[in-house]
Amino acid sequence: MSQVAGLPLRFRFLPLLHEAHTRDGWLSREAVETIARQVRIPLAEAWEAATSFPEFRFAAGGGDGGGCGGLSCVVNGAPPSESVHARCRFRCFEAPVSGGEDDFPEEMIRLAGRLLAPDITGWDGLRAASSMGSARALDMIDRAGIRGRGGAYFPAARKWRAALGQGRPLALVINAEEGEPGVFKDRAVLCRRPRRFVEGLAIAVSVLRPAVTVIFINGEAAPARRSVETVIAGAGEVFPGGVEVVPGGGGYVLGEETTLLNALEGRKPAPRLRPPYPVESGLFGMPTVVNNVETIANLSILFREGEAPFLDPDPAAAGGSKLFSVSGRVARPGLYEMPLGTPLRVLLAAAGEKDGAAFAAVLAGGPSGGFLPASEFHRRLVPGLLHPTGAVTGSGGMVVLDTTSDLRAAVLETARFNARESCGKCTPCREGLPRVVESLAEGHTEGLDDLLEVVGAASLCGLGQMAPGPIRSARHFWPELFS
Amino acid sequence: MTRQVPSTCPYCGVGCGIVISVAGERIVWVDDQPGNLSSEGMLCVKGRFGTTFVNHRDRLATPLIRRGGELQPASWDEALDLVAMRFAEHRGRFGSFASAKATNEDAFIQQKFVRLVMGTNNIDHCTRLCHSPSVEAMLQQFGSGATSNSYSDYEASSCIMLVGCDPGSNHPVIASRMRRAIDTRGTRLIVVNPRRIDMCDRATIFLQSRPGTDVSLFNGMARAILDAGLANTGFIAARTEGYEAWLAAVREVTVEQCAEVCGVAAEDLRMAALLYANPPQLDAREPGSCLVWGMGVTQHTNGTDNAHALLNLALFTGQLGRPGSGVSPLRGQNNVQGCGDAGCIPDSLPGYQRYDEAVPAPFEELWGGGLPRVPGLKATDMVEQIAGGTIRAMYIVGENPLLSEPNLHHATELIRSLDFLVVQDLFLHETAQLADVVLPACSFAEKDGTFTNSERRVQRVRRAIAPVGESRPDWEIVCDIARRMCAHSGLDTRQFSYSGPAEIFAEMARLTPFLRGMSYERLDREGGLQWPCPEPGHPGTSYLYGESFPRGLGKFVPVRQAAAAEELPDTEYPLILNTGRMLYHWHGGTITRRVEALMERAGALPVAIHPDDAAAAGIVENDTVVLFSRRGRVSGAAVLTDSVRAGSVFIPFVRLGESAANFLTNSAYDAQSRIPEYKVCAVRIEKKRERKDAAGAPGIGRERA
Amino acid sequence: MSLILNGDEVEAGGSVLDAVLAAGIELPHLCKDDNLPAIGACRTCLVEADGRIVAACSFPASMAKRVDTETKTARRIRRGVLELTLAMQAERGDEGGPLAGETASTASREGAAVDRFAVRTGRAVDATSPFFSFHEAACILCGRCVVACQDLQHISAIGLAGRGRDTRVTPGAADTFRESICTSCGSCVAACPTSALRPRGGAE
Ligand code: SF4
Ligand code: SF4
Ligand code: SF4
Ligand code: FES
């Protein structure tokens, strides 16, 4: 068994689990224990970790949970799914969806900017970055104001400097898990523009000089994985230290950085306490930079075309373009690349009404975001909150509802989703969210606001903290909905 | 109303801190002690759940005197008068075993009594049966017989080599601390053991060597280190002597030859050697290696040689005298270190002060009497010499030799033939059943005192409940006997009048240079202290030999592989029997058999056998099997496991039912240390046939002939 | 380092919880054992630090200037979390290890209602060990037993299997403690703030 230089054996845990799961279709106790021994993970710890990934099954047989029960599919007529194995296939543009994941169709790139332009050739951006040297390259990233496209919009240069400032060998982790229903941009980039991403990654490697570089990718996203692996294999000398592509077992909560790091370390995928922050002590204690696929791909643009595309006199719009995944009740679902700061209505107009039904609402930012009614469509898609009740630009997922949609069912579905995706570590999220679902389903909302406050304020990580958003926003804009 | 009493665990040599919760003179819960520097808030099953023996219905409530062949209750005065009288008659033919389970104060008083009142050095304790080869070898090579380092060194090391021990079962909290180092720092682990122990799960290298081949193993490692140019030449030049002679012995063998003798792959042997000599840098700390061993090294006819071979390796690589390195024989009983420190050994006074030159003077002066100068008999010899008449009366405190001696049938005959036997203990165990007088002693929970653990840490034991029945602390009983005898011996009875354990400890500290800085007051205030602690302001010592060895230079002692064992398998007895311990029992089981939960968990003697051997004998899992040796037989339940080598079987030496391993073991001894060869003997295994045969089950006679 | 705690200036080094307890102020901390690292799971130690609600057990005192334990918001949210916690327990007795009564007494001190939510709990009982038994109906999934077993003893016999509402305390992948690699050290029992893990038979 290959051991990644300098990393503990347990780094192999998740890949080996994934391999066994792919081979057998499920994980037996014996399989988990054998792998645990192989990578020296104490047994209970290994069992905790393995059983916490939603995509792993622990009994032979059984279907795949049927069709997708995600919001985009529900508003397009799919029945909401109660199965624990129901999961988004991230082909929300084809909703209602059944079957597994597939290659991202080129025609679903509806509007291409610089990032989604036909894929690059050569490694000019990398060459430019390397000839500049780390310090100047960092300054350039800083000046361009590149911010994290995973949804938090944290300035990349600041994160990188904090990690480099630790003065220890560091880790670079690319989060390509993309577990938010309604979002398919990273898969699109990896499938259709892999060289763009790989060049960005090579630039990051040349600046950060990480001891280890990891791409964490959803285990079911096989087409995306194959695509990026092929390009990396062909890139040869570009990655002197190699790149580890680790397939995971799913889970929305992996969007939380420390949860992702736990998963990579063969631990239970649940959030860690902060401090320490990942830039101080992340993967196996190394200072760690975690970036999103889209963020990294932007580096390729920066070092090929300079800072100009990222600058804008309007600070809210600065930082370049954003990939928006639009799905639900629209005529042209798919991926739209538009500048940050674009008004929501412009995006919606591009996607168009479906079957002549008027737009009624948008879930902006997915299950961690919030609903916006038509009266709010003038809002500009800038980093951070779009409305105090919850809507965010987030990672750019916009699920659209029209006059034919059952808004109440949509709210319930987001609540269910969050309850199902809770990692289960902290009490308010694990216990509170199912109570929220109950209260919505049964329509007695007495005490609901207090409960939402508790879940939002008391939860350990973003999943619980933001879970009230869709409900709170819906109750704000459509007060009659749950009365 | 419950009250909490901080104390020290009575089971193993780890010496965990405990907090005893007491309600109505019964122990209701035992908690850990987060602040304890040895256990850091950990405990194992025995410490946490194993103290119910204290209130067990079998506890001796009154003294017993044998009348008309039967042991019958008697008053303390009656019993003590009788003992004092008969002991006086047997001066010159007397021997005594001290208890490594009792306190330092108990031990100190007992050796004082034996030397001053009985006029003999015939006092010993169970170290003879476990680590005497280690102690002998360390005394010769370093000048001191104690563990050189601390548990914290395991956690600071880059490599731990465990030889012939199973800390997961016998020193569970040490095992936890090692696992912590492995799991959190990446410390490498090398396991050398004929049996696959639990710690192998975390081992970088596991050498499943043949029993009794340790000399080859360590000489082979030394050869590998030599060949790789990793000898610590600086250390050897500055700190050692005898190198050339030893080197010549190592040069006689090759790594391949040694590996062959041990039954391991030469490549593994070499890798382990290089890892030990040159451990990896894990963090800012200087990399070091710890060598940790148990009775797999010592309980052999070549036990002292084995220990020498192992210590030579430490000298050769300079892996001692720094944080994160060192040599540690894991001490078994809770106070085996302290019992030796307190002088319960036949050739030295408290503090390992040998009888030369000026040493006895301060003792004689303070005690107001002369001390015998002839070294006494070692424990195993005391028993053997009963036959010749050298020993006719014995005073056995807190020991059950008729479970722990090898070749039990033989030992039983000898003990049975004594003229006068006094046993002082908690229970009427196998040996006590043969006694003329049985004296009920207090358990650890009923008295004050101190224990000294495996890392030389002296810790307080505190009285948590009132004595059970009429039992009394060992030191008090000994003092009572001694005072009755002082008059005849021209001694001042005040020599055996103490206000309490604190005063005894003060006397011991005064007479023992390495304890001189300790007092109850300090132990109560600061917690446990590690000796040497020569003066009151001294913080104690966590590792030894930083600057020099007590004997000056460290000494290499050349050793060559002798026969692996005295008795090896043949056609009649084709399997090698290996003995050891199990987590759920303590030692021979005298105590743990009286903890119901432990018995529920582990009530049958497990006989571990390799599946191939089992198949050959037609044995399946859980079959009742009988093991035969030339000396006896035992039965147990078969456990099929490839954790033992094919061709060998393993049983713990606890007595369960009528079966105890030592009915099988051989009374062959290591010439230097006189340790019995518990670890190896030849046996045959059979599936138990139906009923008919069961009548002949072995056992020990209940009455004296 | 000093901070203003409930209006008084105090010296503080470790976590906000350390400072709070050192000042003799009562604050729930159901998943924090004084002998074990912080877990951050129970969310009952919430306080207001510079206007934000934070978990005192894992918030460094050095990052706070002003901490109040008794603001209306902090009290209300703590109570809500405790009510959710109580709704996990069909058994709320204090028979058990030394800390078994902690959850119940904490909840009543904070004024949490026992009946705000209908109780929903697992009912598994594991009495296969002669030393202790496990009663799921009392377990609040605080994770202390797991940290005791994994991070203190480094044995790793017990864990929190599954995710979300399906999370359960199990003896690893084994069906019972008896069949697991549990060494019966009892550290989990000592750490449990409920009667979920309870010693058997006392000292009889
Ligand atoms: S490890 Fe030893 S000293 Fe510690 S609790 Fe267990 S038996 Fe007692
Ligand atoms: S068993 Fe006890 S310690 Fe473990 S999670 Fe449940 S309540 Fe917490
Ligand atoms: S008793 Fe068993 S489960 Fe509990 S901490 Fe000890 S080993 Fe772990
Ligand atoms: S004690 Fe702070 S979260 Fe549990």
Side-chain angles (χ1 to χ4, degrees):
Chain A
M1 181 179 38
S2 83
Q3 185 176 356
V4 182
L7 290 189
L9 272 175
R10 54 189 304 152
F11 183 68
R12 305 299 310 158
F13 185 60
L14 197 47
L16 288 170
L17 278 186
H18 184 264
E19 193 181 301
H21 194 265
T22 311
R23 184 188 61 224
D24 304 339
W26 65 295
L27 292 171
S28 63
R29 284 177 188 192
E30 294 68 35
V32 175
E33 289 192 356
T34 309
I35 294 169
R37 281 186 212 283
Q38 215 178 330
V39 299
R40 309 271 163 106
I41 299 185
L43 292 183
E45 220 180 308
W47 187 248
E48 282 192 325
T51 55
S52 299
F53 291 98
E55 282 160 21
F56 292 154
R57 295 146 180 286
F58 294 87
D64 65 351
C68 173
L71 184 55
S72 313
C73 288
V74 169
V75 296
N76 279 304
S81 176
E82 296 286 340
S83 160
V84 285
H85 296 299
R87 55 173 287 272
C88 183
R89 267 66 165 192
F90 304 96
R91 281 161 43 215
C92 318
F93 42 81
E94 299 174 357
V97 174
S98 61
E101 288 198 23
D102 214 339
D103 201 1
F104 189 88
E106 181 70 34
E107 61 276 18
M108 284 301 149
I109 297 180
R110 301 283 184 177
L111 182 66
R114 286 187 165 79
L115 186 51
L116 294 178
D119 210 1
I120 55 166
T121 55
W123 305 113
D124 297 347
L126 171 62
R127 217 162 293 127
S130 326
S131 64
M132 210 177 274
S134 288
R136 283 182 52 214
L138 256 171
D139 287 342
M140 180 145 161
I141 297 169
D142 202 358
R143 280 196 309 273
I146 292 189
R147 284 179 285 183
R149 296 297 201 265
Y153 297 93
F154 192 84
R158 245 167 75 197
K159 197 184 251 190
W160 290 21
R161 285 206 169 104
L164 287 166
Q166 301 288 315
R168 292 188 289 134
L170 54 83
L172 171 63
V173 174
I174 307 305
N175 190 352
E177 162 59 33
E178 199 169 50
E180 178 180 325
V183 176
F184 35 77
K185 62 176 181 94
D186 292 342
R187 283 171 171 81
V189 170
L190 296 177
C191 287
R192 313 291 346 171
R193 305 292 181 264
R195 297 183 60 87
R196 185 56 101 179
F197 164 73
V198 170
E199 182 172 73
L201 183 62
I203 292 167
V205 167
S206 79
V207 176
L208 290 167
R209 301 196 182 288
V212 40
T213 306
V214 181
I215 303 175
F216 185 87
I217 199 160
N218 186 286
E220 305 279 309
R225 189 167 83 243
R226 274 195 301 273
S227 162
V228 75
E229 275 174 344
T230 311
V231 176
I232 288 172
E237 73 295 348
V238 167
F239 295 106
V243 178
E244 291 297 316
V245 181
V246 177
Y252 179 47
V253 68
L254 291 171
E256 199 281 328
E257 288 184 6
T258 61
T259 306
L260 178 83
L261 296 175
N262 272 350
L264 283 172
E265 291 185 9
R267 299 178 201 283
K268 188 171 172 79
R272 298 180 185 173
L273 300 176
R274 312 168 185 228
Y277 293 90
V279 287
E280 299 156 355
S281 174
L283 186 67
F284 295 113
M286 290 184 278
T288 301
V289 167
V290 182
N291 277 142
N292 177 262
V293 170
E294 185 186 347
T295 317
I296 290 293
N298 267 295
L299 296 175
S300 161
I301 303 175
L302 175 63
F303 286 92
R304 279 170 180 256
E305 303 180 34
E307 293 145 40
F310 297 91
L311 303 178
D312 193 300
D314 173 2
S321 71
K322 177 77 192 87
L323 303 184
F324 294 100
S325 310
V326 183
S327 64
R329 298 290 297 171
V330 290
R332 290 174 296 280
L335 207 52
Y336 293 79
E337 181 178 358
M338 288 187 171
L340 275 168
T342 302
L344 175 56
R345 89 182 124 66
V346 173
L347 178 62
L348 293 179
E353 291 174 351
K354 188 172 184 179
D355 309 330
F359 293 143
V362 168
L363 175 62
S368 301
F371 287 95
L372 291 173
S375 58
E376 299 288 330
F377 290 175
H378 63 279
R379 297 205 176 249
R380 300 175 63 197
L381 296 164
V382 293
L385 278 175
L386 301 180
H387 190 275
T389 56
V392 290
T393 300
S395 61
M398 301 290 149
V399 183
V400 183
L401 281 68
D402 63 16
T403 49
T404 70
S405 314
D406 180 348
L407 185 57
R408 200 163 175 275
V411 176
L412 191 54
E413 169 52 33
T414 58
R416 283 214 174 99
F417 177 84
N418 281 321
R420 200 164 56 221
E421 291 297 322
S422 166
C423 78
K425 175 169 176 174
C426 77
T427 304
C429 176
R430 181 192 63 237
E431 303 300 322
L433 288 174
R435 310 277 177 184
V436 169
V437 171
E438 256 165 47
S439 138
L440 291 175
E442 290 161 18
H444 47 72
T445 53
E446 182 196 334
L448 178 61
D449 291 325
D450 179 71
L451 183 55
L452 290 175
E453 184 195 18
V454 168
V455 172
S459 289
L460 169 60
C461 85
L463 191 143
Q465 288 162 7
M466 323 254 265
I471 305 157
R472 213 179 259 150
S473 55
R475 279 167 70 71
H476 173 79
F477 293 114
W478 297 273
E480 69 295 346
L481 206 56
F482 295 97
S483 54
Chain B
M1 257 289 290
T2 45
R3 52 177 203 282
Q4 263 80 37
V5 185
S7 192
T8 304
C9 174
Y11 277 104
C12 83
V14 178
C16 297
I18 58 176
V19 180
I20 307 175
S21 290
V22 182
E25 299 306 321
R26 289 182 85 86
I27 298 176
V28 291
W29 171 252
V30 174
D31 217 341
D32 45 75
Q33 230 184 59
N36 183 288
L37 291 170
S38 291
S39 56
E40 300 190 331
M42 289 176 266
L43 285 181
C44 81
V45 60
K46 294 179 288 263
R48 176 99 58 193
F49 296 112
T51 56
T52 53
F53 70 86
V54 165
N55 293 108
H56 194 275
R57 58 182 177 278
D58 285 358
R59 275 291 296 273
L60 288 165
T62 66
L64 304 173
I65 295 179
R66 190 170 297 278
R67 294 186 175 107
E70 293 283 320
L71 281 170
Q72 289 176 358
S75 74
W76 270 108
D77 275 338
E78 238 181 319
L80 293 172
D81 288 345
L82 176 65
V83 170
M85 187 184 83
R86 302 291 310 265
F87 277 178
E89 290 165 19
H90 281 91
R91 264 208 201 91
R93 287 171 301 165
F94 172 86
S96 185
F97 287 178
S99 171
K101 299 212 72 64
T103 62
N104 288 322
E105 293 73 5
D106 293 329
F108 181 81
I109 291 300
Q110 194 177 340
Q111 61 85 34
K112 182 176 177 180
F113 165 73
V114 171
R115 294 196 158 106
L116 191 61
V117 179
M118 296 306 295
T120 173
N121 280 313
N122 286 343
I123 179 156
D124 206 352
H125 67 288
C126 70
T127 205
R128 193 61 51 207
L129 308 179
C130 52
H131 266 303
S132 53
S134 311
V135 173
E136 286 297 323
M138 286 193 290
L139 280 171
Q140 269 187 56
Q141 297 187 254
F142 306 151
S144 160
T147 290
S148 84
N149 53 3
S150 299
Y151 310 153
S152 58
D153 288 307
Y154 307 147
E155 292 189 44
S157 74
S158 290
C159 169
I160 298 171
M161 178 146 73
L162 290 181
V163 188
C165 58
D166 178 10
S169 297
N170 312 319
H171 300 87
V173 168
I174 285 182
S176 284
R177 295 190 65 163
M178 290 176 174
R179 284 192 297 262
R180 175 153 76 192
I182 296 164
D183 291 355
T184 63
R185 283 187 70 232
T187 296
R188 312 291 201 267
L189 177 70
I190 303 168
V191 174
V192 181
N193 204 310
R195 196 163 58 94
R196 190 182 191 291
I197 58 171
D198 289 347
M199 289 294 280
C200 289
D201 279 354
R202 284 176 169 80
T204 306
I205 304 169
F206 170 35
L207 298 171
Q208 194 164 22
S209 59
R210 290 197 185 98
T213 61
D214 295 341
V215 168
S216 286
L217 194 99
F218 293 114
N219 282 353
M221 284 195 186
R223 183 64 202 256
I225 291 164
L226 183 70
D227 293 349
L230 288 173
N232 190 335
T233 46
F235 186 89
I236 295 167
R239 301 283 309 273
T240 70
E241 61 184 348
Y243 177 57
E244 292 303 327
W246 172 75
L247 195 62
V250 168
R251 285 224 163 93
E252 289 166 15
V253 294
T254 66
V255 177
E256 278 67 23
Q257 286 163 352
C258 292
E260 169 89 40
V261 173
C262 303
V264 301
E267 217 19 66
D268 291 350
L269 185 68
R270 197 171 272 120
M271 256 170 60
L274 303 191
L275 186 55
Y276 175 76
N278 188 28
Q281 181 97 39
L282 299 176
D283 46 31
R285 281 182 263 212
E286 192 190 340
S289 291
C290 289
L291 190 45
V292 180
W293 69 98
M295 283 151 228
V297 169
T298 56
Q299 290 176 340
H300 292 283
T301 43
N302 50 13
T304 308
D305 284 356
N306 292 342
H308 280 310
L310 180 144
L311 298 174
N312 289 333
L313 194 69
L315 289 175
F316 186 45
T317 53
Q319 291 296 359
L320 70 178
R322 286 177 284 120
S325 70
V327 294
S328 343
L330 289 180
R331 309 310 303 256
Q333 307 256 19
N334 56 322
N335 199 37
V336 65
Q337 181 68 52
C339 197
D341 296 352
C344 294
I345 29 181
D347 54 8
S348 349
L349 286 161
Y352 307 98
Q353 304 178 77
R354 302 250 173 178
Y355 274 100
D356 23 68
E357 297 141 33
V359 164
F363 288 88
E364 293 178 328
E365 200 173 303
L366 190 68
W367 291 351
L371 296 180
R373 294 297 200 277
V374 198
L377 294 172
K378 294 170 180 164
T380 37
D381 293 330
M382 273 189 246
V383 175
E384 291 291 337
Q385 299 216 6
I386 294 171
T390 317
I391 299 289
R392 294 307 306 159
M394 285 194 78
Y395 183 19
I396 299 180
V397 178
E399 281 289 325
N400 184 10
L402 292 188
L403 204 49
S404 48
E405 287 285 312
N407 192 0
L408 281 180
H409 290 305
H410 173 64
T412 308
E413 285 320 306
L414 291 173
I415 298 270
R416 211 189 275 275
S417 70
L418 282 170
D419 292 339
F420 187 60
L421 173 63
V422 178
V423 173
Q424 181 171 310
D425 215 318
L426 271 57
F427 300 107
L428 195 64
H429 51 58
E430 290 80 352
T431 313
Q433 284 166 16
L434 302 186
D436 296 281
V437 179
V438 179
L439 302 173
C442 283
S443 77
F444 82 104
E446 299 145 52
K447 63 185 176 190
D448 282 293
T450 54
F451 291 156
T452 306
N453 73 6
S454 205
E455 58 173 355
R456 294 170 278 102
R457 193 184 299 280
V458 180
Q459 309 191 94
R460 276 300 312 273
V461 174
R462 292 186 183 83
R463 176 174 152 149
I465 58 171
V468 169
E470 292 177 25
S471 67
R472 305 175 62 198
D474 290 304
W475 66 267
E476 258 185 56
I477 304 174
V478 179
C479 281
D480 267 6
I481 298 171
R483 277 200 309 275
R484 282 171 162 79
M485 296 175 70
C486 278
H488 307 278
S489 343
L491 290 163
D492 188 338
T493 53
R494 276 175 305 182
Q495 282 303 338
F496 291 94
S497 306
Y498 293 92
S499 58
E503 192 183 347
I504 303 173
F505 187 84
E507 180 175 319
M508 181 166 78
R510 177 163 162 200
L511 289 168
T512 309
F514 62 66
L515 295 177
R516 204 157 282 159
M518 296 188 196
S519 61
Y520 271 33
E521 195 262 317
R522 270 194 85 181
L523 294 171
D524 286 340
R525 186 164 30 100
E526 299 172 42
L529 289 167
Q530 288 176 285
W531 65 253
C533 176
E535 66 244 17
H538 194 283
T541 308
S542 77
Y543 67 91
L544 308 175
Y545 316 146
E547 303 295 322
S548 66
F549 293 98
R551 70 181 294 280
L553 292 174
K555 184 176 174 195
F556 282 96
V557 175
V559 279
R560 293 173 174 82
Q561 177 73 50
E566 205 197 68
E567 186 181 78
L568 287 170
D570 52 26
T571 45
E572 203 182 339
Y573 297 97
L575 300 172
I576 292 185
L577 172 73
N578 184 222
T579 66
R581 301 184 195 227
M582 61 192 290
L583 173 65
Y584 291 100
H585 281 290
W586 170 251
H587 211 252
T590 303
I591 291 175
T592 47
R593 264 182 283 125
R594 293 180 170 91
V595 177
E596 276 161 23
L598 290 169
M599 283 305 281
E600 189 182 331
R601 183 69 178 76
L605 190 75
V607 179
I609 178 170
H610 192 277
D612 294 349
D613 297 327
I619 292 165
V620 297
E621 184 79 17
N622 236 340
D623 269 355
T624 302
V625 293
V626 188
L627 284 172
F628 298 85
S629 81
R630 290 188 172 79
R631 292 154 296 275
R633 61 175 127 160
V634 305
S635 63
V639 177
L640 274 54
T641 166
D642 54 12
S643 70
V644 294
R645 290 179 71 110
S648 50
V649 287
F650 173 87
I651 57 176
F653 79 96
V654 58
R655 174 177 181 167
L656 291 169
E658 295 302 322
S659 289
N662 288 329
F663 286 116
L664 303 178
T665 51
N666 196 357
S667 50
Y669 297 100
D670 174 40
Q672 296 173 62
S673 65
R674 306 295 291 155
I675 195 168
E677 183 151 74
Y678 287 117
K679 286 291 172 183
V680 186
C681 72
V683 294
R684 177 175 81 235
I685 193 164
E686 279 173 19
K687 184 167 167 165
K688 184 157 185 161
R689 271 165 281 130
E690 292 318 312
R691 268 292 140 211
K692 204 154 67 302
D693 193 49
I700 302 175
R702 300 263 154 181
E703 298 112 64
R704 286 185 87 198
Chain C
M1 276 300 194
S2 74
L3 72 102
I4 310 287
L5 176 58
N6 290 357
D8 297 327
E9 179 158 348
V10 298
E11 288 301 308
S15 68
V16 168
L17 181 65
D18 294 338
V20 168
L21 298 179
I25 299 168
E26 290 202 35
L27 183 69
H29 51 279
L30 291 181
C31 71
K32 176 69 181 81
D33 193 299
D34 53 5
N35 190 23
L36 299 171
I39 302 173
C42 75
R43 317 307 286 175
T44 59
C45 64
L46 302 175
V47 296
E48 220 169 300
D50 303 313
R52 276 169 65 203
I53 294 289
V54 303
C57 68
S58 44
F59 200 80
S62 60
M63 283 170 62
K65 286 199 209 40
R66 204 195 139 81
V67 169
D68 290 288
T69 61
E70 302 304 315
T71 65
K72 268 210 174 107
T73 320
R75 287 196 60 96
R76 186 172 65 241
I77 293 175
R78 283 206 301 266
R79 204 180 318 122
V81 174
L82 282 164
E83 283 162 349
L84 286 167
T85 307
L86 289 174
M88 302 174 67
Q89 296 187 293
E91 285 178 28
R92 303 202 183 98
D94 62 0
E95 164 205 2
L99 304 178
E102 196 176 324
T103 300
S105 62
T106 298
S108 78
R109 205 175 59 233
E110 292 281 319
V114 291
D115 55 357
R116 172 158 172 205
F117 303 102
V119 170
R120 187 165 56 186
T121 175
R123 303 277 177 168
V125 174
D126 182 340
T128 58
S129 159
F131 306 101
F132 61 86
S133 53
F134 171 66
H135 304 260
E136 196 174 25
C139 175
I140 60 166
L141 296 175
C142 67
R144 271 160 86 154
C145 53
V146 177
V147 171
C149 191
Q150 297 187 359
D151 298 344
L152 178 68
Q153 295 275 5
H154 286 271
I155 292 164
S156 198
I158 194 170
L160 290 164
R163 63 200 281 272
R165 269 301 306 214
D166 298 328
T167 306
R168 302 178 65 185
V169 166
T170 70
D175 287 322
T176 64
F177 281 99
R178 179 66 187 251
E179 291 160 32
S180 75
I181 58 168
C182 170
T183 63
S184 318
C185 73
S187 288
C188 54
V189 181
C192 182
T194 71
S195 58
L197 283 163
R198 46 182 100 139
R200 296 186 70 183
E204 302 326 311

